[in-house]
Amino acid sequence: MKIHEYQAKAIFRDYGVPVPAGTVASSVTEACEAAAGGSFPVVVKAQVHVGGRGKAGGVKLAPDPAAVKKHATAILGMNIKGSTVRRVLIEPGIDIQTEYYVGMIVDRARRYPCLMVSAAGGVEIEEVAATTPEKIARLHIDPALGLRSFQIRRAARFLAIPKQAEKALAAILGGFYRAFMEKDCSLAEINPLVLTGAGELIACDAKINFDDNAAYRHPEYAALRDDAEAEPLEVQARHAGLSYVKLDGRIGCIVNGAGLAMATMDIVKHFGGEPANFLDIGGGAKAEQVTEALRIVTADPAVNTVLFNIFGGIVRCDRVAEGILEAMRRLDLVIPIVLRLVGTNEDKARALLAGTSLIACATMSEAARTAVELSTRGAT
Ligand code: GDP
Ligand code: MN
Protein backbone atom coordinates (compact mmCIF):
# COMPACT_ATOMS: atom_id res chain seq x y z
CA MET A 1 0.00 0.00 0.00
CA LYS A 2 1.35 3.37 -1.06
CA ILE A 3 0.92 6.68 0.73
CA HIS A 4 1.63 10.29 -0.18
CA GLU A 5 4.82 12.22 0.46
CA TYR A 6 3.18 14.48 3.04
CA GLN A 7 1.92 11.43 4.95
CA ALA A 8 5.31 9.73 4.83
CA LYS A 9 6.94 12.94 6.06
CA ALA A 10 4.54 13.07 9.01
CA ILE A 11 5.60 9.55 9.95
CA PHE A 12 9.29 10.34 9.59
CA ARG A 13 8.81 13.46 11.72
CA ASP A 14 7.34 11.27 14.49
CA TYR A 15 10.53 9.23 14.37
CA GLY A 16 12.82 12.22 14.70
CA VAL A 17 13.74 12.66 11.04
CA PRO A 18 13.82 16.40 10.21
CA VAL A 19 11.33 17.33 7.48
CA PRO A 20 10.24 20.75 6.22
CA ALA A 21 7.16 22.27 7.85
CA GLY A 22 4.63 21.74 5.08
CA THR A 23 0.92 22.27 4.50
CA VAL A 24 -1.27 20.23 2.17
CA ALA A 25 -3.64 22.13 -0.09
CA SER A 26 -6.34 20.85 -2.38
CA SER A 27 -7.16 24.11 -4.11
CA VAL A 28 -5.25 27.10 -5.46
CA THR A 29 -6.76 29.30 -2.73
CA GLU A 30 -5.61 26.89 -0.04
CA ALA A 31 -2.16 26.75 -1.61
CA CYS A 32 -1.87 30.54 -1.60
CA GLU A 33 -3.08 30.70 2.01
CA ALA A 34 -0.56 28.07 3.04
CA ALA A 35 2.28 30.10 1.55
CA ALA A 36 1.06 33.47 2.83
CA GLY A 37 2.81 34.86 5.89
CA GLY A 38 5.78 32.55 5.55
CA SER A 39 9.12 33.17 3.95
CA PHE A 40 9.92 32.66 0.29
CA PRO A 41 10.79 30.80 -1.82
CA VAL A 42 8.34 27.98 -1.18
CA VAL A 43 8.15 24.75 -3.09
CA VAL A 44 4.86 23.51 -4.61
CA LYS A 45 4.80 19.73 -4.85
CA ALA A 46 2.28 17.43 -6.55
CA GLN A 47 1.01 14.69 -4.22
CA VAL A 48 0.60 11.54 -6.29
CA HIS A 49 1.62 7.94 -5.76
CA VAL A 50 4.22 7.99 -8.52
CA GLY A 51 7.85 9.00 -8.59
CA GLY A 52 9.64 11.36 -10.94
CA ARG A 53 7.27 14.22 -10.20
CA GLY A 54 10.08 16.74 -10.53
CA LYS A 55 10.88 15.72 -14.11
CA ALA A 56 7.17 15.72 -14.96
CA GLY A 57 6.81 19.34 -13.85
CA GLY A 58 5.10 18.49 -10.57
CA VAL A 59 7.70 20.12 -8.28
CA LYS A 60 8.20 23.89 -8.63
CA LEU A 61 9.97 26.55 -6.64
CA ALA A 62 7.94 29.72 -6.14
CA PRO A 63 9.90 32.88 -5.29
CA ASP A 64 6.78 34.92 -4.47
CA PRO A 65 3.01 34.59 -3.85
CA ALA A 66 2.16 35.14 -7.53
CA ALA A 67 4.34 32.18 -8.48
CA VAL A 68 2.62 30.01 -5.87
CA LYS A 69 -0.69 30.77 -7.52
CA LYS A 70 0.72 30.10 -10.97
CA HIS A 71 2.36 26.79 -10.03
CA ALA A 72 -0.56 25.53 -7.93
CA THR A 73 -2.90 26.29 -10.83
CA ALA A 74 -0.69 24.37 -13.22
CA ILE A 75 0.01 21.42 -10.93
CA LEU A 76 -3.47 20.79 -9.46
CA GLY A 77 -5.33 18.68 -11.99
CA MET A 78 -2.12 17.76 -13.81
CA ASN A 79 -1.83 14.16 -14.92
CA ILE A 80 1.44 12.55 -13.86
CA LYS A 81 1.96 9.04 -15.25
CA GLY A 82 -1.77 8.34 -15.09
CA SER A 83 -2.41 9.90 -11.67
CA THR A 84 -4.41 13.11 -11.39
CA VAL A 85 -2.98 15.61 -8.91
CA ARG A 86 -5.62 16.42 -6.30
CA ARG A 87 -3.37 17.94 -3.65
CA VAL A 88 -0.18 19.92 -3.48
CA LEU A 89 2.26 20.16 -0.62
CA ILE A 90 3.49 23.67 0.15
CA GLU A 91 6.83 23.76 1.93
CA PRO A 92 9.51 26.31 2.65
CA GLY A 93 12.13 25.96 -0.06
CA ILE A 94 15.35 24.28 0.98
CA ASP A 95 18.75 25.73 0.21
CA ILE A 96 20.15 22.52 -1.24
CA GLN A 97 23.88 21.97 -1.16
CA THR A 98 24.12 18.20 -1.52
CA GLU A 99 21.53 15.52 -2.29
CA TYR A 100 21.87 12.01 -0.86
CA TYR A 101 19.78 8.90 -1.27
CA VAL A 102 18.57 6.86 1.70
CA GLY A 103 16.33 3.83 1.20
CA MET A 104 15.30 0.61 2.84
CA ILE A 105 13.75 -2.58 1.52
CA VAL A 106 13.43 -6.15 2.71
CA ASP A 107 16.14 -8.18 1.01
CA ARG A 108 14.28 -11.46 0.64
CA ALA A 109 17.30 -13.39 -0.56
CA ARG A 110 19.36 -12.36 2.47
CA ARG A 111 16.33 -12.31 4.75
CA TYR A 112 17.22 -8.97 6.29
CA PRO A 113 16.03 -5.41 6.00
CA CYS A 114 18.58 -3.64 3.84
CA LEU A 115 19.55 0.00 4.22
CA MET A 116 20.82 1.59 1.04
CA VAL A 117 22.65 4.88 0.89
CA SER A 118 24.16 6.78 -1.99
CA ALA A 119 25.76 10.13 -2.63
CA ALA A 120 23.99 10.07 -6.01
CA GLY A 121 20.78 11.40 -4.53
CA GLY A 122 17.94 13.23 -6.21
CA VAL A 123 17.95 11.05 -9.30
CA GLU A 124 16.09 7.78 -9.74
CA ILE A 125 17.90 5.13 -7.77
CA GLU A 126 16.93 2.39 -10.24
CA GLU A 127 19.05 4.22 -12.79
CA VAL A 128 22.00 4.48 -10.41
CA ALA A 129 21.65 0.79 -9.56
CA ALA A 130 21.63 -0.15 -13.24
CA THR A 131 24.50 2.02 -14.46
CA THR A 132 26.75 2.64 -11.44
CA PRO A 133 25.88 0.10 -8.74
CA GLU A 134 29.13 0.84 -6.90
CA LYS A 135 27.64 4.20 -5.94
CA ILE A 136 25.16 2.46 -3.64
CA ALA A 137 26.18 1.02 -0.28
CA ARG A 138 24.01 -1.76 1.09
CA LEU A 139 23.89 -2.45 4.81
CA HIS A 140 21.96 -5.47 6.01
CA ILE A 141 20.44 -5.06 9.43
CA ASP A 142 19.84 -7.90 11.82
CA PRO A 143 16.48 -7.04 13.39
CA ALA A 144 17.58 -8.70 16.63
CA LEU A 145 20.44 -6.22 16.93
CA GLY A 146 19.00 -3.19 15.17
CA LEU A 147 21.01 -0.63 13.25
CA ARG A 148 24.53 -0.75 14.71
CA SER A 149 26.70 2.29 15.24
CA PHE A 150 29.46 0.87 13.02
CA GLN A 151 26.92 0.67 10.20
CA ILE A 152 26.00 4.30 10.70
CA ARG A 153 29.69 5.26 10.64
CA ARG A 154 30.14 3.22 7.47
CA ALA A 155 27.18 5.00 5.85
CA ALA A 156 28.53 8.41 6.87
CA ARG A 157 31.94 7.61 5.43
CA PHE A 158 30.47 6.25 2.20
CA LEU A 159 28.37 9.40 1.78
CA ALA A 160 31.32 11.64 2.77
CA ILE A 161 29.04 13.46 5.18
CA PRO A 162 30.72 16.52 6.75
CA LYS A 163 31.90 15.82 10.27
CA GLN A 164 29.48 18.26 11.92
CA ALA A 165 26.46 16.51 10.32
CA GLU A 166 27.39 12.97 11.43
CA LYS A 167 25.34 13.08 14.61
CA ALA A 168 22.32 14.27 12.69
CA LEU A 169 22.80 11.48 10.16
CA ALA A 170 22.93 8.92 12.97
CA ALA A 171 19.62 10.19 14.35
CA ILE A 172 18.05 10.22 10.89
CA LEU A 173 19.15 6.70 9.98
CA GLY A 174 18.08 5.42 13.41
CA GLY A 175 14.64 7.00 13.12
CA PHE A 176 14.30 5.89 9.52
CA TYR A 177 15.07 2.29 10.45
CA ARG A 178 12.65 2.32 13.39
CA ALA A 179 9.88 3.81 11.25
CA PHE A 180 10.49 1.10 8.64
CA MET A 181 10.25 -1.69 11.20
CA GLU A 182 7.50 -0.39 13.45
CA LYS A 183 5.25 0.67 10.59
CA ASP A 184 5.83 -2.60 8.72
CA CYS A 185 7.03 -0.94 5.54
CA SER A 186 7.94 -2.87 2.44
CA LEU A 187 9.85 0.15 1.16
CA ALA A 188 10.94 3.50 2.54
CA GLU A 189 12.94 6.21 0.82
CA ILE A 190 14.30 9.66 1.43
CA ASN A 191 15.40 10.85 -1.98
CA PRO A 192 16.89 13.30 -1.65
CA LEU A 193 18.09 13.64 1.90
CA VAL A 194 19.56 17.10 1.68
CA LEU A 195 22.51 18.87 3.25
CA THR A 196 21.59 22.54 3.38
CA GLY A 197 23.84 25.54 2.99
CA ALA A 198 23.65 25.90 6.78
CA GLY A 199 25.03 22.37 7.18
CA GLU A 200 21.79 20.75 8.30
CA LEU A 201 20.34 17.48 7.06
CA ILE A 202 16.67 17.41 6.10
CA ALA A 203 14.38 15.01 4.25
CA CYS A 204 13.42 16.85 1.07
CA ASP A 205 11.31 13.98 -0.28
CA ALA A 206 9.76 10.96 1.42
CA LYS A 207 8.24 7.73 0.25
CA ILE A 208 6.73 4.85 2.19
CA ASN A 209 5.00 1.66 1.05
CA PHE A 210 3.33 -0.44 3.71
CA ASP A 211 3.27 -4.21 3.64
CA ASP A 212 -0.42 -5.02 3.12
CA ASN A 213 0.00 -8.25 5.03
CA ALA A 214 0.59 -6.19 8.17
CA ALA A 215 -2.58 -4.13 7.79
CA TYR A 216 -4.35 -6.16 10.47
CA ARG A 217 -2.06 -4.75 13.15
CA HIS A 218 -2.03 -1.20 11.82
CA PRO A 219 -5.50 0.32 12.07
CA GLU A 220 -3.82 3.66 11.31
CA TYR A 221 -3.16 2.55 7.70
CA ALA A 222 -6.85 2.98 6.87
CA ALA A 223 -6.81 6.76 7.29
CA LEU A 224 -3.74 7.02 5.04
CA ARG A 225 -5.25 5.12 2.15
CA ASP A 226 -6.10 7.20 -0.91
CA ASP A 227 -8.64 5.26 -2.95
CA ALA A 228 -8.43 7.84 -5.74
CA GLU A 229 -4.89 6.61 -6.45
CA ALA A 230 -5.69 2.92 -6.51
CA GLU A 231 -6.85 0.75 -9.38
CA PRO A 232 -10.66 1.33 -9.22
CA LEU A 233 -11.46 -2.37 -9.59
CA GLU A 234 -9.07 -3.22 -6.76
CA VAL A 235 -10.86 -0.73 -4.51
CA GLN A 236 -14.28 -2.21 -5.37
CA ALA A 237 -12.94 -5.70 -4.72
CA ARG A 238 -11.55 -4.70 -1.33
CA HIS A 239 -14.93 -3.26 -0.32
CA ALA A 240 -16.58 -6.55 -1.35
CA GLY A 241 -14.13 -8.56 0.78
CA LEU A 242 -12.34 -9.99 -2.26
CA SER A 243 -8.65 -9.92 -2.86
CA TYR A 244 -8.04 -8.85 -6.43
CA VAL A 245 -4.91 -7.85 -8.25
CA LYS A 246 -5.07 -6.72 -11.84
CA LEU A 247 -2.55 -8.24 -14.23
CA ASP A 248 -1.88 -7.83 -17.94
CA GLY A 249 -3.37 -10.94 -19.56
CA ARG A 250 -6.78 -11.78 -20.99
CA ILE A 251 -8.05 -14.68 -18.88
CA GLY A 252 -10.03 -13.57 -15.85
CA CYS A 253 -9.48 -16.06 -13.03
CA ILE A 254 -11.90 -16.51 -10.13
CA VAL A 255 -10.65 -18.86 -7.50
CA ASN A 256 -11.10 -19.70 -3.82
CA GLY A 257 -7.92 -19.58 -1.79
CA ALA A 258 -4.66 -17.78 -2.45
CA GLY A 259 -2.74 -21.00 -3.05
CA LEU A 260 -5.25 -22.18 -5.61
CA ALA A 261 -5.11 -18.73 -7.22
CA MET A 262 -1.36 -19.11 -7.64
CA ALA A 263 -1.72 -22.64 -8.98
CA THR A 264 -4.38 -21.44 -11.41
CA MET A 265 -2.16 -18.67 -12.74
CA ASP A 266 0.65 -21.19 -13.14
CA ILE A 267 -1.47 -23.66 -15.07
CA VAL A 268 -2.91 -20.93 -17.31
CA LYS A 269 0.64 -19.92 -18.16
CA HIS A 270 1.62 -23.56 -18.59
CA PHE A 271 -0.94 -23.81 -21.40
CA GLY A 272 0.33 -20.61 -22.98
CA GLY A 273 -2.25 -18.19 -21.64
CA GLU A 274 -1.91 -15.04 -19.59
CA PRO A 275 -4.02 -14.39 -16.49
CA ALA A 276 -5.78 -11.01 -16.42
CA ASN A 277 -5.91 -10.95 -12.66
CA PHE A 278 -5.53 -12.69 -9.37
CA LEU A 279 -8.89 -12.96 -7.63
CA ASP A 280 -9.48 -14.89 -4.45
CA ILE A 281 -13.10 -15.03 -3.31
CA GLY A 282 -11.91 -16.44 0.00
CA GLY A 283 -12.84 -19.42 2.09
CA GLY A 284 -16.45 -18.69 2.93
CA ALA A 285 -17.69 -16.84 -0.12
CA LYS A 286 -21.39 -16.18 -0.48
CA ALA A 287 -23.31 -16.03 -3.74
CA GLU A 288 -23.28 -12.20 -3.71
CA GLN A 289 -19.51 -12.15 -3.51
CA VAL A 290 -19.27 -14.49 -6.48
CA THR A 291 -21.58 -12.20 -8.45
CA GLU A 292 -19.45 -9.21 -7.50
CA ALA A 293 -16.26 -11.10 -8.38
CA LEU A 294 -17.60 -11.86 -11.84
CA ARG A 295 -18.70 -8.26 -12.28
CA ILE A 296 -15.26 -6.95 -11.30
CA VAL A 297 -13.31 -9.39 -13.42
CA THR A 298 -15.44 -8.78 -16.52
CA ALA A 299 -15.33 -4.99 -16.00
CA ASP A 300 -11.71 -5.19 -17.17
CA PRO A 301 -11.99 -4.69 -20.95
CA ALA A 302 -8.93 -6.87 -21.52
CA VAL A 303 -10.74 -9.96 -20.23
CA ASN A 304 -12.07 -12.16 -23.05
CA THR A 305 -12.54 -15.43 -21.13
CA VAL A 306 -13.32 -16.25 -17.51
CA LEU A 307 -11.98 -19.27 -15.71
CA PHE A 308 -13.55 -20.40 -12.44
CA ASN A 309 -11.44 -22.77 -10.44
CA ILE A 310 -13.26 -23.67 -7.23
CA PHE A 311 -12.34 -26.36 -4.80
CA GLY A 312 -15.36 -26.56 -2.54
CA GLY A 313 -14.50 -27.15 1.07
CA ILE A 314 -16.13 -24.57 3.27
CA VAL A 315 -17.16 -22.81 0.08
CA ARG A 316 -20.17 -24.63 -1.29
CA CYS A 317 -20.17 -25.19 -5.03
CA ASP A 318 -23.93 -24.57 -5.26
CA ARG A 319 -23.47 -21.11 -3.72
CA VAL A 320 -20.81 -20.35 -6.30
CA ALA A 321 -23.16 -21.57 -9.04
CA GLU A 322 -25.95 -19.37 -7.68
CA GLY A 323 -23.61 -16.38 -7.71
CA ILE A 324 -22.63 -17.07 -11.32
CA LEU A 325 -26.26 -17.42 -12.39
CA GLU A 326 -27.18 -14.19 -10.63
CA ALA A 327 -24.30 -12.40 -12.34
CA MET A 328 -25.46 -13.75 -15.71
CA ARG A 329 -28.96 -12.43 -15.05
CA ARG A 330 -27.67 -9.02 -14.05
CA LEU A 331 -24.71 -8.50 -16.34
CA ASP A 332 -24.60 -8.67 -20.07
CA LEU A 333 -21.92 -11.33 -20.29
CA VAL A 334 -20.94 -12.32 -23.79
CA ILE A 335 -17.55 -13.88 -23.13
CA PRO A 336 -17.08 -17.60 -22.49
CA ILE A 337 -17.01 -18.80 -18.90
CA VAL A 338 -15.13 -21.99 -18.15
CA LEU A 339 -15.70 -23.78 -14.87
CA ARG A 340 -14.02 -26.31 -12.75
CA LEU A 341 -16.22 -26.76 -9.70
CA VAL A 342 -15.44 -29.68 -7.43
CA GLY A 343 -16.04 -30.52 -3.80
CA THR A 344 -18.87 -29.74 -1.42
CA ASN A 345 -22.26 -29.82 -3.18
CA GLU A 346 -20.79 -30.14 -6.65
CA ASP A 347 -23.79 -32.25 -7.75
CA LYS A 348 -26.17 -29.48 -6.76
CA ALA A 349 -24.01 -26.99 -8.61
CA ARG A 350 -24.01 -29.16 -11.73
CA ALA A 351 -27.81 -29.39 -11.59
CA LEU A 352 -28.11 -25.63 -11.25
CA LEU A 353 -25.82 -24.96 -14.19
CA ALA A 354 -27.25 -27.59 -16.53
CA GLY A 355 -28.55 -26.13 -19.78
CA THR A 356 -26.59 -22.87 -19.48
CA SER A 357 -23.87 -21.66 -21.82
CA LEU A 358 -21.20 -22.26 -19.18
CA ILE A 359 -18.43 -24.66 -20.08
CA ALA A 360 -17.95 -27.17 -17.29
CA CYS A 361 -14.71 -29.15 -17.11
CA ALA A 362 -13.88 -32.09 -14.90
CA THR A 363 -10.28 -31.24 -14.09
CA MET A 364 -8.19 -28.18 -13.47
CA SER A 365 -5.93 -28.78 -16.44
CA GLU A 366 -8.84 -29.39 -18.80
CA ALA A 367 -10.45 -26.15 -17.62
CA ALA A 368 -7.23 -24.17 -17.97
CA ARG A 369 -6.49 -25.59 -21.44
CA THR A 370 -10.04 -24.82 -22.57
CA ALA A 371 -9.88 -21.28 -21.22
CA VAL A 372 -6.55 -20.65 -22.95
CA GLU A 373 -7.92 -21.99 -26.27
CA LEU A 374 -11.04 -19.84 -26.06
CA SER A 375 -9.04 -16.79 -25.05
CA THR A 376 -6.56 -17.21 -27.89
CA ARG A 377 -9.37 -17.70 -30.37
CA GLY A 378 -11.17 -14.66 -28.97
CA ALA A 379 -8.06 -12.56 -29.33
CA THR A 380 -7.49 -13.23 -33.00
P1 GDP B 1 10.40 13.51 -7.19
O1 GDP B 1 10.83 14.06 -8.50
O2 GDP B 1 9.02 12.95 -7.29
O3 GDP B 1 11.35 12.53 -6.62
O4 GDP B 1 10.28 14.77 -6.17
P2 GDP B 1 11.35 15.38 -5.16
O5 GDP B 1 10.64 15.84 -3.96
O6 GDP B 1 12.49 14.46 -4.91
O7 GDP B 1 11.87 16.67 -5.93
C1 GDP B 1 12.65 16.56 -7.10
C2 GDP B 1 13.82 17.49 -7.07
O8 GDP B 1 13.35 18.83 -6.93
C3 GDP B 1 14.74 17.29 -5.88
O9 GDP B 1 15.69 16.28 -6.10
C4 GDP B 1 15.39 18.64 -5.76
O10 GDP B 1 16.49 18.75 -6.62
C5 GDP B 1 14.29 19.58 -6.22
N1 GDP B 1 13.67 20.21 -5.04
C6 GDP B 1 12.65 19.72 -4.30
N2 GDP B 1 12.39 20.54 -3.25
C7 GDP B 1 13.26 21.56 -3.32
C8 GDP B 1 13.51 22.72 -2.54
O11 GDP B 1 12.87 22.97 -1.53
N3 GDP B 1 14.52 23.54 -2.95
C9 GDP B 1 15.24 23.30 -4.06
N4 GDP B 1 16.22 24.13 -4.40
N5 GDP B 1 15.05 22.22 -4.83
C10 GDP B 1 14.07 21.36 -4.47
MN1 MN C 1 12.43 12.30 -4.94
Side-chain angles (χ1 to χ4, degrees), residues 53 122 191-192 205:
R53 297 163 303 164
N191 187 23
D205 191 8

mmCIF file of all heavy atoms in Angstrom, residues 53 122 191-192 205, ligand 2:
data_model
loop_
_atom_site.group_PDB
_atom_site.id
_atom_site.type_symbol
_atom_site.label_atom_id
_atom_site.label_comp_id
_atom_site.label_asym_id
_atom_site.label_seq_id
_atom_site.Cartn_x
_atom_site.Cartn_y
_atom_site.Cartn_z
ATOM 1 N N ARG A 53 8.179 13.079 -10.074
ATOM 2 C CA ARG A 53 7.272 14.223 -10.203
ATOM 3 C C ARG A 53 8.025 15.456 -10.676
ATOM 4 O O ARG A 53 7.510 16.259 -11.446
ATOM 5 C CB ARG A 53 6.590 14.511 -8.861
ATOM 6 C CG ARG A 53 5.711 13.380 -8.392
ATOM 7 C CD ARG A 53 5.425 13.545 -6.932
ATOM 8 N NE ARG A 53 6.670 13.603 -6.162
ATOM 9 C CZ ARG A 53 6.775 14.042 -4.927
ATOM 10 N NH1 ARG A 53 5.709 14.496 -4.297
ATOM 11 N NH2 ARG A 53 7.936 14.038 -4.298
ATOM 12 N N GLY A 122 18.735 12.333 -5.383
ATOM 13 C CA GLY A 122 17.936 13.231 -6.212
ATOM 14 C C GLY A 122 17.508 12.616 -7.527
ATOM 15 O O GLY A 122 16.461 12.942 -8.043
ATOM 16 N N ASN A 191 14.617 10.558 -0.766
ATOM 17 C CA ASN A 191 15.399 10.847 -1.983
ATOM 18 C C ASN A 191 14.942 12.154 -2.612
ATOM 19 O O ASN A 191 13.965 12.187 -3.331
ATOM 20 C CB ASN A 191 15.255 9.713 -2.994
ATOM 21 C CG ASN A 191 16.179 9.921 -4.179
ATOM 22 O OD1 ASN A 191 17.188 10.618 -4.074
ATOM 23 N ND2 ASN A 191 15.827 9.335 -5.309
ATOM 24 N N PRO A 192 15.618 13.221 -2.339
ATOM 25 C CA PRO A 192 16.894 13.296 -1.646
ATOM 26 C C PRO A 192 16.772 13.609 -0.153
ATOM 27 O O PRO A 192 15.855 14.277 0.276
ATOM 28 C CB PRO A 192 17.565 14.484 -2.342
ATOM 29 C CG PRO A 192 16.419 15.397 -2.672
ATOM 30 C CD PRO A 192 15.247 14.493 -2.957
ATOM 31 N N ASP A 205 12.371 14.799 0.300
ATOM 32 C CA ASP A 205 11.307 13.981 -0.280
ATOM 33 C C ASP A 205 11.139 12.775 0.636
ATOM 34 O O ASP A 205 12.051 12.435 1.403
ATOM 35 C CB ASP A 205 11.708 13.540 -1.703
ATOM 36 C CG ASP A 205 10.549 12.902 -2.471
ATOM 37 O OD1 ASP A 205 9.407 12.939 -1.971
ATOM 38 O OD2 ASP A 205 10.797 12.369 -3.571
HETATM 39 MN MN MN B 2 12.426 12.298 -4.943
#
